[in-house]
Amino acid sequence: MQPRQDLINIFSTFLEFNEDRFGGWNSDAKLRQSMEKSLARSPSGKEQAEFWALYWHQVWQDCYSKTAREHLYAYLQETGYYAANKIRARLRFTEYSLSDYFQIAIARVDKVLRNFNSQHGSSFKGYAAVAFEKGIIDELRQVNQALGYSNFSLLRRTSERRLKQSLATYGVAAAKIDKYLLAWDCFKILHAPTQATSNRQTAEPDRETWNAIAQLYNSERISQLNPSESEINAATIQQWLNECATAVRNYIAPQNRSLNAPLSGQETGELQDILPESPAESLLTPLIEQEEQQQRISEQEQINSILTAALAKLAENPKKQQLLDIARLYYGQELTQQEISLQLFGNKQKQYVVSRSLAKLKKALVKEFAEWVKTKLHISLNTVVLEQIGATIEEWLEKCLILKES
Amino acid sequence: MIDSTQEILAKSTNLWLEIDREKIAQTWEKSQPFSSPQSRWRAYLNRICLDTIFPWLEAEACTKPTIWQQESIYNSFWEFVNGSAINLGTKRLILVPSETIDTSEIRVPQEWVDIPSWAGDYYLAIQVDTEAEIVQFVGYTTHLQLKQQENYSSRDRTYSLDEEFLNQDLDLLMLGLEICPEETTRKSLDSLPSLPQEQANNLLARLGNSQVAFPRRAVPFQLWGALLEHGGWRKILYQKRLGIQEQWSVFQWLKNGISELPEQIGWRTFNLESLAGARGEINTKEIPTILSRKLVIAGQEYELQILASGTPEEPEATFKLRNLSLGGLIPGGFKLRILTEDLQSFEDNEDLATTAVEELTIEVELEPGEGLVWETEPIPENYDREILRF
């Protein structure tokens, strides 16, 4: 892949795959125009991509702008590509192509937009990179699990949100989805597991159970749906539930990933296609931004020195040595938790120890850093801020420990 | 390579904990007394979740966690609702287990959000996989956020929040409780209406039928919430759905011993024979039996005693509250109060300690079959109303 260099391209082109390899950059005329216009209005010297990323993020936050979101979507293309490449090297899933991984990663853009906070000096791209990798692994974990389930186990173990999304993607009309959901509720009540371990291969309900499910649906439909809804029989409800299962499988199948990650417009469809009339006057006021930019650079230096000192302090304590070893292997050499367990303890059974050590290190660094955020940046702490600091720390650990290793 | 792929994908990048395999059979055994396979399964998942998460909290939290409500009382929750509560100092965590494979959302039953005495500060989405024997932490949110984002679904009476909006690091929640406990977490709630006895009886008769498959959705939430919040009615409803005999008849306790549930909660009988015998004043005809249970109020142990007397036609009862420590008193300001089943006051139903006193006492004359509810101020730990029937 050839990374983009030109600022306008960076915010207005999208990666194209050609037979699962990098196929070039696809330009979006509307975005190009918007970027050119904004750039022309801004004072010179603002040619850093990261600066514009923060700017568009601010616009997105302020007016929930669709265009701003798309600029950021364009900006994160390389980040998504690198994350996809990295995970593909780790997980050899023949069903998944590079572009599948890319789509899963880039689908997390909205989550990144919502959770990123520039106030703590985190870099937008770095933050997105961590979120993308985690996103791919978590998504694949769920998909992978679902593969081994029978239709009726899968239906018991699908969330309502996922079922609704699946049915909508499958083309089921909204009014019908309500009926399917009631049928699904009745199924779950009457086909619950009857032993301590729930099975991946839950059998299909027998005739008697199907009849009972239909009967329950018919009696509940009056109060829970429109009273004029017609009665249905066991065969219909059986067909509906099979359709639900098919829709869920279809939704999580890799080839449908790209469909689930629409480029323009989110699920909510509430994005507005507007931008502030005059960016120069509102957000781009030259002095303020210049100050902010300088402040950001010094903040990042600050963060670096605080966290480096915190790590050095840990290194002095012989008891914390193992914690640091684990962090170096995990963030620096990118070993998996199982591999680290094998390397340090000679078996894979100590994954929990590895996982807890990483969590403890992160918690200790967040605590240290939160103190600084509170006293120096005068930001009052709450759990959302801590979570954002946590993301900054992880991003920093990846960056800093990789540098140290190389 | 497939092996390591499977390994990577087995565990969440969030906190995960292994289920104690040795306890599974026992947990399943404990989860049997329910009206349907669905509620049995719900209880089982909740118990596994609680038993796995609680020790982790004990090890990691900056204050000592306690499970809100005694374990035996949870059956009357899980028959109807998913979830359990853990108190951490002044904060309450609501655990919301789910067995879904995808972790796209947290879905919290309305009861845990809108019943004032149940509501919590933080709501934790937890994935329970009984097959892989793993409990994985998905994310958490606050009461405030659940209420703010207009995430109410009238279809299944839940508040849900998409995964994108959840905080993901439980270790950082523990840190937050330590370094920023002042965080605003709750939206204020209106109290639920009080139900008149007759209406409660109607609801109990109707929803106590285990054929009603969706009791949570069968009546308006205000009524349903008020019925469940009243621990006495909730326990009766649970009994009715399981077809269990009345558990709370005081005269039955005196005759046949204390029923199972009240005994698990801590009710005991004793008579004064042993004391009297030791002093050589045995008069077997007039040895009264006393019912008692231990209460913990403001960190101190107390005892609630009931002396039932009179005849079955004209029953009488004396309620006493005493300090359990040797020579201990009831501090000034404490109150003992007796209410009717639907929580109405009546004449002389309250005793207040104006200064520190040895005991608080209330004597009541009753109609046969009448039910009474006791309460104290301050409220005892894990207080759940109970209706004692005479």
Side-chain angles (χ1 to χ4, degrees), chain A residues 245-381:
Chain A
T246 308
V248 172
R249 281 197 199 288
N250 199 57
Y251 185 83
I252 55 185
Q255 63 270 27
N256 295 318
R257 275 289 126 197
S258 49
L259 296 176
N260 302 330
L263 166 62
S264 49
Q266 284 164 291
E267 272 168 58
T268 52
E270 286 163 16
L271 282 184
Q272 301 167 48
D273 204 356
I274 51 156
L275 287 174
E277 255 312 293
S278 171
E281 276 170 33
S282 54
L283 293 158
L284 279 178
T285 308
L287 274 176
I288 295 175
E289 45 145 342
Q290 218 155 359
E291 268 175 21
E292 269 182 3
Q293 183 69 353
Q294 276 164 6
Q295 200 190 334
R296 282 186 58 74
I297 292 167
S298 75
E299 262 170 30
Q300 289 199 344
E301 282 165 4
Q302 280 271 18
I303 292 162
N304 203 23
S305 70
I306 292 167
L307 294 179
T308 309
L311 275 191
K313 206 165 82 187
L314 282 177
E316 283 167 17
N317 184 345
K319 281 183 191 158
K320 304 283 165 134
Q321 205 52 51
Q322 192 181 67
L323 214 62
L324 290 170
D325 288 344
I326 290 174
R328 283 196 196 99
L329 293 171
Y330 187 76
Y331 292 106
Q333 297 189 14
E334 304 196 323
L335 297 189
T336 66
Q337 295 182 0
Q338 295 87 354
E339 286 164 343
I340 296 170
S341 171
L342 191 62
Q343 183 160 337
L344 290 182
F345 308 109
N347 65 57
K348 290 178 177 173
Q349 310 313 312
K350 297 257 179 123
Q351 191 196 341
Y352 184 74
V353 176
V354 173
S355 159
R356 290 308 299 153
S357 300
L358 291 168
K360 286 216 161 79
L361 176 70
K362 182 175 159 193
K363 188 174 165 186
L365 294 176
V366 170
K367 191 174 179 182
E368 195 96 2
F369 191 44
E371 193 51 43
W372 180 79
V373 164
K374 189 173 145 189
T375 50
K376 291 284 158 44
L377 300 183
H378 309 292
I379 293 173
S380 61
L381 298 176

Side-chain angles (χ1 to χ4, degrees), chain A residues 141-142 157 159 224 387, chain B residues 9 99 102-103 168 217:
Chain A
R141 187 171 65 81
Q142 296 174 17
R157 304 197 50 186
S159 72
Q224 298 200 33
E387 188 90 0
Chain B
L9 296 182
E99 53 168 342
D102 64 286
T103 52
Q168 290 183 337
R217 304 186 205 173

Side-chain angles (χ1 to χ4, degrees), chain A residues 111 141-142 144-145 157 159-161 185 188 196 198 200 224 338 348 356 362 367 383 387, chain B residues 6-7 9 38 41 44 99 101-104 130-131 155 164 168-169 171 178 183 217:
Chain A
K111 189 173 179 176
R141 187 171 65 81
Q142 296 174 17
N144 183 46
Q145 281 190 5
R157 304 197 50 186
S159 72
E160 178 161 336
R161 183 184 180 208
D185 282 343
K188 283 195 294 180
S198 111
R200 282 165 188 251
Q224 298 200 33
Q338 295 87 354
K348 290 178 177 173
R356 290 308 299 153
K362 182 175 159 193
K367 191 174 179 182
T383 46
E387 188 90 0
Chain B
Q6 293 301 336
E7 277 174 10
L9 296 182
Q38 167 79 355
W41 185 252
Y44 176 61
E99 53 168 342
I101 308 163
D102 64 286
T103 52
S104 354
T130 53
E131 203 177 13
R155 192 189 84 74
E164 293 92 292
Q168 290 183 337
D169 197 325
D171 282 285
E178 187 188 327
E183 174 174 25
R217 304 186 205 173

Side-chain angles (χ1 to χ4, degrees), chain A residues 77-101:
Chain A
Q77 299 289 297
E78 281 100 344
T79 314
Y81 185 87
Y82 293 138
N85 235 335
K86 189 165 153 188
I87 301 294
R88 190 172 68 157
R90 252 196 235 177
L91 307 176
R92 299 275 163 86
F93 255 140
T94 45
E95 317 75 317
Y96 286 83
S97 63
L98 184 61
S99 72
D100 291 332
Y101 286 119

